[in-house]
Amino acid sequence: MNSDRDFNRLLDQWFADGPREVSDRVVVEVADRIERQSQRPAWRFPGRHFQVNLKLQWIAAAAAVLIVAVFAGRELLAPAPNSGVGGASPTPSASPDPNFVHATAFGVPLSLTLSGGWTRDGIERTNLDLQHGDVDLGFHPMSSVTLPGATVADPWIPVPADFVAWIAQRPEFVASAPRTITIAGRSGTVVDADFVWKAGTAKRDFLRYTTGAWLYDQGDDGNRVRFIIVPASSGVGGIVIVMNARIADFASAAAALDVVLATVQFDGPGATPAS
Amino acid sequence: MDRDLVEAAAKGDRAAYVDLIGSRADHLFAIAQRILRDVDRAEDALQDALVIAWRDLRGLRDPDRFDAWLRRLLVNVCIVQATRERRRVVNLRILPAEGPAAPDELLTVENRDQLERGFRRLPPEQRAILTLHHFVGYSPGEIAETLGIPPGTARSRLHHAHRAMRAALEADARLIAVGGRSA
């Protein structure tokens, strides 16, 4: 591998190797998915150029100036707080707690307080991700995830009501005895499961979004997963919590997770009030 | 012809869109597979990209840019997937390459394994850059356009990616030379 030319040729060859034909199933599934997917109107796209006449542009600019002027005027004319004679000095506002997470964008809005090494990784509608060193954890709305069917040929299924029975028949897991957990007044089930791939079983993902997008990869020997299933109740959607860790890291992350889960409060109708 | 299909699809003609993607699916899948190094994930990424493309097609101003636009969308989906993969997969297992080794002496089974390992260690964007350069045949300028980054940045990231891949080969070669065993 002496020259850049050889090295480039090597990479060209390496990239040229590999599959080049996609399964017909992919286009069939896309055709099926777009039947249920409408197109966004063109005005939703940033940077799209519209033909706007000059008069309309002037009106829009004048309206913007007027709105700014009205708000600025209101601020200037409003009496200053604590401006009376002998008034108390302004009370400093409490700075927001950096560990407090209010996940309103998450599909089942909730809040929690991080501690014990857990940090926030990302919040989207389908996932609220946390990290604890190399250990990662996702909260997912139950309605947004699917699980593998009994065989590789079976379709993905919604999270079954009897999750314990489902995991007991999965070839890739050896599950511990389930236990109950209460999160913000809602009852759920905790199952810890070790990956133990058996010869002859096919490797596949163990959790997917309902859109078909991959969520969790196949596990690997030496990993343990904590599943926490909290069904929907009192008008608040169900959630699935999945923590994936090497067995050596599992206990400390799980202990710290219990503390975080004790702080969870759900938003929405019938949810527990925030403390 | 394709321009007509793009325009029809942008007006909501699903059959036109399926025609359009049918002829491109193999090439797009091959790109996704090179970036993600996994057939299942490449298929998932391709599906997601094609559904997003359908949803956002009305935002494409120039129908002649459809292929470049779709490729950009796919690469971005792959980068997101690869980022998730790096977060999710605690232990990475390198699978043996499929099929027989190429007759060219440059690409030995050992090299293949070393390249696979080195590639998987790269940040997702560098994986995409190498794929666009060595598989699609893009110049740094075209890579820059696809990824929406300045050309200088594309050149520099391509250089870093090459250096990382070369280091991966050389590190493994050193291990073997001193009687060690590559992981």
Side-chain angles (χ1 to χ4, degrees), chain A residues 17 19 25 29 34 136, chain B residues 14 34 43 47 87 112:
Chain A
D17 271 0
R25 182 181 52 81
E29 285 183 17
I34 66 171
D136 57 29
Chain B
R14 288 181 167 83
R34 268 58 177 185
E43 287 185 352
Q47 258 197 47
R87 284 218 313 264
R112 215 187 285 264

Side-chain angles (χ1 to χ4, degrees), chain A residues 15-37:
Chain A
F15 276 101
D17 271 0
R20 285 172 177 269
E21 284 183 20
V22 70
S23 155
D24 292 341
R25 182 181 52 81
V26 171
V27 175
V28 171
E29 285 183 17
V30 170
D32 183 50
R33 284 174 64 183
I34 66 171
E35 283 297 325
R36 301 185 300 273
Q37 172 75 59

Side-chain angles (χ1 to χ4, degrees), chain A residues 34 39, chain B residues 1-24 53-54 57-58 60 62-67 69-70:
Chain A
I34 66 171
Q39 289 182 315
Chain B
M1 172 90 98
D2 274 358
R3 186 187 172 90
D4 293 344
L5 285 176
V6 175
E7 284 174 345
K11 287 176 185 155
D13 184 338
R14 288 181 167 83
Y17 183 69
V18 172
D19 271 1
L20 202 55
I21 60 173
S23 58
R24 291 160 169 79
W54 162 259
L57 189 54
R58 290 187 190 178
L60 177 67
D62 178 1
D64 292 332
R65 300 279 306 147
F66 176 74
D67 284 313
W69 175 76
L70 187 54

Side-chain angles (χ1 to χ4, degrees), chain A residues 37-261:
Chain A
Q37 172 75 59
S38 54
Q39 289 182 315
R40 277 181 176 174
W43 56 264
R44 292 279 303 273
F45 299 95
R48 176 116 190 154
H49 298 299
F50 289 98
Q51 296 297 318
V52 181
N53 71 39
L54 196 60
K55 191 175 172 186
L56 212 57
Q57 285 182 24
W58 275 107
I59 292 170
V65 169
L66 192 65
I67 289 166
V68 170
V70 166
F71 275 95
R74 282 175 59 178
E75 284 296 311
L76 288 171
L77 294 174
N82 300 314
S83 58
V85 177
S89 59
T91 309
S93 60
S95 57
D97 180 354
N99 292 317
F100 181 73
V101 177
H102 191 191
T104 52
F106 179 58
V108 182
L110 55 81
S111 62
L112 52 81
T113 302
L114 299 170
S115 61
W118 281 102
T119 56
R120 170 182 155 162
D121 196 23
I123 301 176
E124 294 169 37
R125 191 186 63 75
T126 53
N127 53 295
L128 160 57
D129 293 332
L130 305 182
Q131 277 203 297
H132 186 277
D134 286 339
V135 178
D136 57 29
L137 173 144
F139 286 69
H140 309 286
M142 197 176 285
S143 58
S144 73
V145 294
T146 53
L147 302 171
T151 72
V152 173
D154 286 339
W156 288 72
I157 56 171
V159 177
D162 191 349
F163 179 81
V164 174
W166 174 85
I167 201 161
Q169 55 87 41
R170 291 304 307 168
E172 68 270 50
F173 290 120
V174 170
S176 64
R179 62 182 174 86
T180 56
I181 187 172
T182 302
I183 299 177
R186 297 171 61 185
S187 185
T189 304
V190 182
V191 179
D192 295 338
D194 292 356
F195 289 109
V196 278
W197 288 100
K198 300 174 184 74
T201 55
K203 282 203 160 198
R204 59 192 304 211
D205 303 343
F206 64 86
L207 204 68
R208 280 190 179 194
Y209 289 125
T210 48
T211 56
W214 166 78
L215 177 54
Y216 274 85
D217 187 22
Q218 310 96 335
D220 220 335
D221 290 339
N223 280 13
R224 182 171 291 167
V225 179
R226 169 160 293 183
F227 292 95
I228 303 177
I229 311 292
V230 182
S233 65
S234 308
V236 184
I239 54 169
V240 176
I241 303 170
V242 184
M243 184 180 88
N244 185 12
R246 279 189 292 263
I247 288 175
D249 301 329
F250 189 87
S252 61
L257 175 64
D258 286 343
V259 178
V260 172
L261 292 179

Side-chain angles (χ1 to χ4, degrees), chain B residues 16-37:
Chain B
Y17 183 69
V18 172
D19 271 1
L20 202 55
I21 60 173
S23 58
R24 291 160 169 79
D26 283 344
H27 176 64
L28 294 170
F29 162 75
I31 294 174
Q33 194 277 333
R34 268 58 177 185
I35 297 172
L36 296 168
R37 312 303 302 169

